[in-house]
Structures are given as C-alpha cells and as structure tokens.
Amino acid sequence: MIATIQINQQRLWENLKELGEIGASSNSEEGITRLALSLEDLKAREYVIRVMKESGLDVRVDSIGNIIGKFEGADPTAPVIMTGSHVDTVIQGGLFDGALGVLGAIEAVRSIKESGIKLKHSIEVISFTDEEGTRFGSGYIGSKALTGYLDEQTLQIKDASGITYAEALQQAGFDPTCYKEAIRKPEEIKAYLEMHIEQGKVLEENELPVGIVTNIQGPVWLEVTLTGHPDHAGATPMHMRKDASLAMAEIMLEVERIASHYEGVGTVGRTQVEPGGVNIIPGKAVFTIDLRHGDKERRTNMVKEITDAIEWICEKRDIQVEVDFKKSVDPATCSEKIINVLEQTCAELKVPTMKLPCGAGHDSLMMTKITDMGMIFVRSKDGISHNPKEWTDKEDCIIGSQVLLQALIKLAK
Ligand SMILES: [Zn+2]
C-alpha cells in the first residue's frame, strides 16, 4: 500500500481497544453496552473528547451532544468536510460498530494534521449522539437534530425506567429546549463521509478489505394481521378451512419471490399464530414484513406488489386481512462524486474493493438530506454485528482508515 501520509496503525488500534474497555462486561461473552446518554456512554464521550484534543482538533459539543472536532482549513469560509460515526452501542454490542468510524476518522485527520499539509476546507470529525436508538427506541438523534429533523415528540419518549429523552439530556448536562441550535445549514457542509463496519458477509465472501457503498436501503415495516377461523384440526376437511397460518405461509413465499425479483430484500422476522394449539386450525396470524431497497421508486413498486399479493391470497383463501404500515424510511443514494473519489483512492492505494448497497441504517441516512454523502465499508468477520463476537481485523481497520484519510484529502483540498 503506497500513501504519502500514513496513519499511525498502533495508535488507532490502541484507541479502539481503550474505547472498547468502556462499558465492557467483565464476562467477555456479554460484550460492550453503552446505551445512549448512560454513564458508560458519557464516559465514552469523554474519551472521544480527550483523543480529539490530543490530536490537536478544536473540540466543541453541540446542543444535542454531538461531539465535533475541527481541523481548520486554509479557507475558514469554505464549507466543511464532515466525517465520523457514533460511540453508543446496542445492549451487548461489539468493539467496532460506530467506534471504528469515529476513531478511524480522528486518526486520519490527526495524521493529516501532523504531516503539516494544508487543505482548503476544514474537516470536522463528528461523534453523533444516540445512533442506535436502543434505549429510547428511536435512533439517529444527533444526526436528526443536526439536519433539522428532530421533533419535540421524540424528546418525550421514555426509556424502560420511565426517564424521558429530555430528562436524559438534562442529566447529561444539555438543555433539551435548545436542540434546534444543533441545526447546520446545507451550505455549511460540502460532504459527509462515514466509515463503518459492513455488518454483513458480502466483503468477506469477495475477499475484500473495504467496499464502497452505493446506497442505503431504507426499510418499510408492515404488520399484517390475518383472521380466519379456529376450527377443529380433525373434524374440518381441508377444503372447508380458513387457515390464517397457511395464508401467512403463502404470503411469506411471495415476499421471497417478489423481493428477489426486485433485487431488494424482504424478511418476515416475527410471526405469531393463534390460538396455538396442536389440534386447532390457526384462526389468527400476526406477522411483520421488513422490506428494503436502495431505489425509492423500485421499493415503492416492490411494496405495492407485495401488498397486492397479500390481498389476492387472502381473497382466495377467504381470510380477513389488515395491513399496518409501521415505518417507512426513504432510501438514500450515495453521492456519485464521493463514490468516484473513493474508487480513485482505492486504485491509488492498490486496495481491492467493490461497490455494494448498505442494508443497515446509519447517521449518513440523515446526512444525505443536507449534503453529499458517501460511505466506506470495512469487512466484518462472519458478518456478525450488534453482538460481542463482532470482529474486524486490525489490518482491515488500518486499510479502511487509510482510504478514509486519502479520500478526505481529495475532498478537502
Ligand atoms: Zn453503527
């Protein structure tokens, strides 16, 4: 790998391990838990601030708690290049989700700064507040606030112990009524580039250390309730049944067929059949469908085809149906310009790579609403994430951060 400026590999790895000790269970099988604005998260935030300061960045914390470390460019009036991720985790999470994007970005910018190179645009490393949404059931809080999409309602959501979001912010030292002060104008930010572990197996299967994300597949969540009739399993001939479970099974196969046809993904992740007796025909079935696609129009068509299928299957089987749209997040397309920069960077560094869509949600999904967005994926071992077994090799963390460094220089010069 040839590069003019090299990141400090040891420093990056040590930082990852140090941050990983915060919120780590003494039982390694229980991983790391740093729920947003918890004591562990607050400690992790202090750690990030310390490393940013040691790196010579100008650190400030905005009104929603996003930590921003700035490396001033030659033209302070030019829009900034933003890069980062998050340090909150799910319950029993791993070492790399979010952490790599924050610490890799700090290391990249620190190395650029130490090299003495002058860039036109300032670079801001950001650690977003509450990406995961585990504690309050609503994520991307920092990036929502920054892009102007956070609302009052969200601040009234309570966690499991009855504390509202506003109270949690207050306890962490923030004034929840000031969340709008975190809003940034589109003209202030030229681009947002996030490095993140893939959390899937595509790169591993292709034996590639990093990937270039083309789009983020926004999810649509449906909850389907089917009502048939719970008759006796022995006394009811097959042609006289209204079996909600069979209708569900047929719908599930249609979800598989249609999602594959559209090159999207469809998952029935939760099913419940009632009354649930061995010898009773299921009279009721409730199940969820998670549908994702990187292209909004194709996703709309995919969802339409699946809801049509639900309708004809239920009509044919004389089953009553109710479809509840629980959630719909627009997919986001990565900036063609940033994709090109990343392709060029990988070619220059002789890093083999591929383009791939991103199935999981990230703060970049929000950032795309106000600026050009790009993402670098780093290989995950066995595709495991949100789990203590989450792993990314040191070498891959280094390659990803090196690609990030070179791409930041290209974007900021
Ligand atoms: Zn993450």
Side-chain angles (χ1 to χ4, degrees):
M1 205 163 69
I2 316 153
T4 43
I5 303 169
Q6 295 279 354
I7 63 153
N8 185 325
Q9 309 184 354
Q10 208 47 40
R11 198 163 59 189
L12 170 65
W13 193 246
E14 267 158 28
N15 286 345
L16 273 166
K17 284 196 294 189
E18 273 171 14
L19 177 57
E21 281 163 21
I22 304 172
S25 166
S26 52
N27 176 355
S28 67
E29 279 177 19
E30 288 171 6
I32 301 162
T33 305
R34 293 193 299 260
L35 297 188
L37 302 173
S38 64
L39 279 178
E40 294 77 19
D41 185 39
L42 296 182
K43 272 190 210 158
R45 296 165 52 82
E46 270 170 35
Y47 179 79
V48 168
I49 291 171
R50 202 183 85 208
V51 178
M52 279 182 174
K53 284 185 175 161
E54 280 170 11
S55 306
L57 304 181
D58 259 334
V59 185
R60 72 180 182 92
V61 179
D62 73 12
S63 63
I64 199 74
N66 295 320
I67 303 165
I68 301 166
K70 188 174 188 177
F71 168 44
E72 190 85 31
D75 180 0
T77 63
V80 305
I81 308 299
M82 213 178 240
T83 178
S85 196
H86 61 96
V87 296
D88 68 306
T89 71
V90 295
I91 295 168
Q92 300 192 357
L95 194 58
F96 301 92
D97 179 358
L100 177 63
V102 173
L103 296 174
I106 295 174
E107 179 53 44
V109 177
R110 183 176 193 172
S111 300
I112 294 171
K113 194 171 191 292
E114 285 173 354
S115 78
I117 188 179
K118 282 274 168 279
L119 298 168
K120 180 186 168 195
H121 298 265
S122 300
I123 302 176
E124 289 185 3
V125 179
I126 186 160
S127 180
F128 285 110
T129 299
D130 196 353
E131 190 270 349
E132 297 288 3
T134 307
R135 181 171 169 192
F136 292 92
S138 179
Y140 317 138
I141 298 303
S143 51
K144 273 183 184 161
L146 189 139
T147 52
Y149 284 83
L150 186 65
D151 53 31
E152 200 64 49
Q153 261 177 319
T154 307
L155 296 177
Q156 298 317 317
I157 300 175
K158 288 179 182 163
D159 71 1
S161 57
I163 297 170
T164 66
Y165 217 110
E167 285 162 351
L169 280 167
Q170 213 151 22
Q171 283 168 10
F174 302 101
D175 181 346
T177 62
C178 294
Y179 69 92
K180 284 187 179 156
E181 284 170 21
I183 296 176
R184 301 287 290 269
K185 296 191 190 84
E187 57 268 29
E188 291 175 36
I189 304 167
K190 188 185 169 205
Y192 174 72
L193 178 57
E194 177 164 349
M195 169 170 62
H196 202 282
I197 53 165
E198 185 202 341
Q199 306 179 283
K201 297 179 195 165
V202 177
L203 292 174
E204 190 176 57
E205 235 170 65
N206 287 278
E207 295 180 12
L208 296 168
V210 294
I212 300 167
V213 175
T214 50
N215 53 53
I216 303 177
Q217 303 179 331
V220 170
W221 283 2
L222 309 178
E223 190 179 77
V224 185
T225 305
L226 305 177
T227 311
H229 207 273
D231 294 307
H232 193 285
T236 319
M238 294 309 282
H239 72 277
M240 290 175 73
R241 295 175 179 218
K242 290 185 185 177
D243 187 332
S245 177
L246 283 180
M248 175 173 77
E250 197 173 349
I251 291 166
M252 284 165 84
L253 292 173
E254 277 300 287
V255 168
E256 183 190 34
R257 188 189 66 76
I258 295 166
S260 308
H261 169 75
Y262 277 91
E263 293 174 318
V265 285
T267 307
V268 174
R270 195 170 67 211
T271 62
Q272 194 190 338
V273 169
E274 289 172 27
V278 178
N279 56 359
I280 308 167
I281 297 164
K284 193 173 174 188
V286 184
F287 61 101
T288 56
I289 310 179
D290 174 307
L291 297 164
R292 295 173 195 232
H293 202 291
D295 182 275
K296 196 179 174 187
E297 201 187 319
R298 282 179 68 76
R299 192 189 70 176
T300 305
N301 294 338
M302 179 171 91
V303 173
K304 169 90 173 58
E305 205 167 311
I306 285 169
T307 48
D308 284 351
I310 293 172
E311 213 168 288
W312 66 252
I313 288 167
C314 291
E315 208 176 289
K316 181 182 73 174
R317 292 179 171 275
D318 199 9
I319 299 282
Q320 277 179 15
V321 60
E322 222 176 283
V323 179
D324 196 0
F325 278 77
K326 288 282 185 195
K327 165 167 158 176
S328 177
V329 179
D330 283 349
T333 309
C334 295
S335 148
E336 204 54 50
K337 216 177 81 192
I338 299 180
I339 291 173
N340 289 340
V341 164
L342 291 172
E343 280 187 304
Q344 214 185 327
T345 302
C346 287
E348 284 170 12
L349 296 175
K350 297 195 166 41
V351 170
T353 188
M354 69 181 289
K355 293 201 262 187
L356 75 169
C358 163
H362 297 286
D363 290 307
S364 45
L365 204 57
M366 294 309 303
M367 291 304 287
T368 195
K369 294 182 184 289
I370 61 162
T371 190
D372 279 356
M373 177 275 290
M375 283 194 84
I376 300 166
F377 263 175
V378 183
R379 173 166 47 191
S380 293
K381 190 173 185 320
D382 300 326
I384 296 171
S385 186
H386 283 184
N387 186 294
K389 290 202 177 78
E390 179 181 277
W391 188 257
T392 292
D393 284 341
K394 180 181 174 186
E395 182 61 22
D396 290 349
C397 293
I398 290 163
I399 294 171
S401 303
Q402 194 66 48
V403 169
L404 177 67
L405 181 154
Q406 293 298 123
L408 287 173
I409 291 177
K410 280 191 202 305
L411 291 166
K413 74 179 178 194

